[in-house]
Structure formats: C-alpha cells, structure tokens
Amino acid sequence: MVNYERFVLPNGLRVLVHQDTSTPMAVFNVMYDVGAKDEDPNKTGFAHLFEHLMFGGSINVPEYDEPLQMAGGENNAYTTNDLTNYYIQLPTENLETAFWLESDRMLSLAFGEKSLDVQRKVVSEEFKEHYLNKPYGDVWLKMRPLAYQTHPYQWMTIGKELSHIENAQLQDVKDFFFKHYRPVNAILVVAGNVTVERVRELAEKWFGPIESGERYNRNLPVEPPQTVGRKLEVHADVPLDALYKCWHIYSRLDPRYYAADLITEVLSGGGSSRLYQALVKEKQLFSNIECYHSGTVDAGLLTIEGKLVKGVKMEDAEKAIEEELQKMRTEKISEAELQKVKNKTESMIAFEDMSVMNRANSLAFYELLGDASLMNTELDRYNKVTADDILKESNAIFNENNCSTLYYLSKN
C-alpha cells in the first residue's frame, strides 16, 4: 500500500505527497497531461521538442542544471504519446531548490530564437540518428500509420516527419507552451522524507502565484475497429529479416487491459515463455522474439516482433507464430501457467514500488488517469483474471482482420 495525501491549489495544480522517512532524499515529479497525441498533425514532435527546451533556461533562471547540481540534485525527463514527465531527486533539506526551478519553468520559459535553434538541431539530429539512419530505426514510423489511421497514435513522439521540427517557429512553440504547460494541466508529486505541511507551504509559495491557464479539453478522434488485415513490405540495409505484427487492444482503464497484459507474459515473458520455447529454442526460426503492448491511455497495440534466423522464409516464420496464437485461441491456459505469470507480475510491481522515484512517477500517472488510488488496486485486478478471460481475450485480439503486419526484409 502506497500512502499519500492530495490537495489542489486554487490555480488547479494537483499536488500529491508521499512520505517515506527511510530515505534522506526527496523526489520532485511534475507530470504534464500533454503528449505527442495532442499535437497538430502538421506540427508533430513538439511535446518531445519541449522536453529539450525546458532545459534551455526559464524566465528567471537562465541555467537549470547548475543550481540543481550545487544542491546535490539530479534530474531527467521523458515524453510519451500520452504525457510529459520531469523529475528531480535531491537531498530533502534542499527541496526548495526543486520548487524554485520547476515553478519558474512553469511560469514561463526563456523563449528565444537561439535556444530554439539549438534544440531544433539537437532533436533533428536525434531523429536522423535513431529513426532514419539506424538499422530498423524507421519500423515504427511505418507501423504506426499502418495500424492507426485516425487516432494520433499514428505518429511517434519524435514526430511524423523531420521537416515538422526543422520548420518549428518560435510562435508555434510559445502557443504550445501556454496551451499545455499550465498548473491546471499538471500534477506535482513530492515523495521521500517530506511532510505534507512543508510541501503545502512550498507549493503555495512557488506555484500558487502562477496563473492557472485554460483547461485543455482533449477531443481526439477515436480509432474505428480494424476490419481488414493490413500488410506492408519494406526492403532495407539490415542484417536479418524481421517480422512485426500488431493487434489493437484496449485502453489503460479498460478492465480487459489486465488480461491482455498477462497474454504478453504468457507468450514472451522470459525463457520459459511459449514463443521463446517453440520458435527460438525448438524450431530455431527466430534469433529472438518478443511480445509486448504499448500500455497507452487510449486504446493501444499488442505487438509480436522477431528477427528471423538467416535462411528462414518469412511465410514459415509467420505460420509458426500463427500456430502458437491458435493454441491461445482454442486451448485454455493451465492454472499453473496463469499463476506463474501472475506471480511474475506481482514481483514486478513489488520491485517497482521499492524505489521512491518509481512510486512518485506511478502516483502521478494514476492521478493523470483519474485516480491515484488505482496504484494500490492494480494487483487485485491482475489476480482476478481467469483462464477463461485469457481464452476469451485471445480470441478477441488475435483476429487477422485486427492485425497489421510488416515484413522488414534484408537487401543483403
């Protein structure tokens, strides 16, 4: 059980406090309810660009890292299609430094052509290095628009195409900031050796004067059910053929999400999993194979991807996957196998909760989903999944009409 207290400032900033007196450190986590899915389809990559711009100096603090390092702190951030998260870890006695730095970034960035130009080039180079010039780097640039034809999950956080970032203008950046990076659209979690009284005092002092901003009403297009299988074939300079298959699954708050999550564990949760045992170890068709899901707030994807052993035909590899999926659709999983993946899930949750940093991040995420207390009931939801649920959801998910397939073929 992760205990916390919650209060809301008059400007709409939600604040959660999790006390853990076993550590001399504090974690300061600010999560903004904005991700790549909130971008203009013609100006993508902005949420991720902001992750960089936020370290370029704010209106009263020209250097972000230097004072934080002097306070013994460290920080980082990440952006997804659903959210953007900034976090700091520092000694508790220096907690106010985090309030000072983060509140000034929320107040306003030090917008300037020079800062934008620097970060635009950094992100553009990242786009080229990781998504255009790296082997298999463009897989999701191709797979996402194949699987999603309406919902903005059809582009990655790096952006739909390089030109969107290269052409980003200062006014575009300002508009995006003042639309999304406001108290009313943010969640602050402070965890560690802190008290609610101290956090409330500092929150009111540093964040209280910031204008709330207008609440962002998300109204995204819903992806309609996929009714026809989709296929794409790509030839590239890569060492091995690779196969990618995606099926639409459920949103993060859908009760069926938990069965879908356990299905991925049954198929590829370690060396004893079905796909590894059958297709890597026994039939030796794949050098590696994985099954995972995107875990997104809106309806996500379940993916199987694998690199074929040299000389194996794509059709044979795909047929072998289909044989394993057919077993999932027709044979009820044993109670022992189901309990094994539940045990592993419980272990993963317990391990994640050991870190104060992870607890702070999880509290912010569940608050963003609508209720931070969901963090304490996740395990119960997994434990309620039955073998019948696994069979039912396998039938619902692993439907060829619900599938997008990418053949990534080596030119060599």
Side-chain angles (χ1 to χ4, degrees), residues 16-20 25-28 189-194 356 359-360:
L16 285 79
V17 185
H18 166 62
Q19 187 178 39
D20 181 348
M25 304 296 286
V27 174
F28 189 96
V189 177
V190 185
N193 198 357
V194 298
V356 178
R359 274 178 258 155

Side-chain angles (χ1 to χ4, degrees), residues 184-198:
V184 75
N185 203 37
I187 297 160
L188 167 62
V189 177
V190 185
N193 198 357
V194 298
T195 65
V196 177
E197 293 74 20
R198 179 63 172 156

Side-chain angles (χ1 to χ4, degrees), residues 70-72 90-99:
M70 290 180 69
L90 77 174
T92 300
E93 58 265 35
N94 294 333
L95 179 62
E96 189 163 5
T97 301
F99 275 89

Side-chain angles (χ1 to χ4, degrees), residues 34-54 79-80 84 86 109 111 116 120 123 155-177 180-181:
V34 56
K37 68 182 179 183
D38 299 305
E39 296 162 344
D40 182 330
N42 298 312
K43 296 177 182 177
T44 61
F46 272 58
H48 173 249
L49 175 64
F50 256 94
E51 185 189 318
H52 289 256
L53 287 170
M54 290 285 259
T79 309
T80 73
T84 310
Y86 300 86
L109 291 183
F111 292 107
L116 175 59
R120 198 164 39 200
V123 174
W155 59 82
M156 304 179 70
T157 56
I158 193 68
K160 189 188 296 186
E161 51 186 77
L162 181 57
S163 63
H164 289 184
I165 292 301
E166 289 178 329
N167 297 327
Q169 299 300 307
L170 193 57
Q171 191 58 52
D172 297 332
V173 169
K174 287 182 179 179
D175 292 345
F176 196 79
F177 178 83
H180 295 289
Y181 296 80

Side-chain angles (χ1 to χ4, degrees), residues 307-335:
K307 293 190 174 60
L308 280 61
V309 170
K310 199 82 173 178
V312 171
K313 292 181 180 177
M314 187 66 80
E315 293 74 15
D316 294 338
E318 188 172 21
K319 182 181 176 185
I321 290 176
E322 174 55 29
E323 288 171 355
E324 291 303 314
L325 298 184
Q326 181 64 8
K327 294 175 188 174
M328 294 292 294
R329 288 191 294 257
T330 57
E331 301 170 13
K332 192 185 293 188
I333 184 175
S334 71
E335 288 300 326

Side-chain angles (χ1 to χ4, degrees), residues 25 27 101 114 159 166-167 180 253 262 349 358 389 397:
M25 304 296 286
V27 174
L101 293 172
K114 183 179 178 182
E166 289 178 329
N167 297 327
H180 295 289
L253 288 172
L262 292 179
I349 292 174
N358 287 345
D389 294 331
I397 296 168

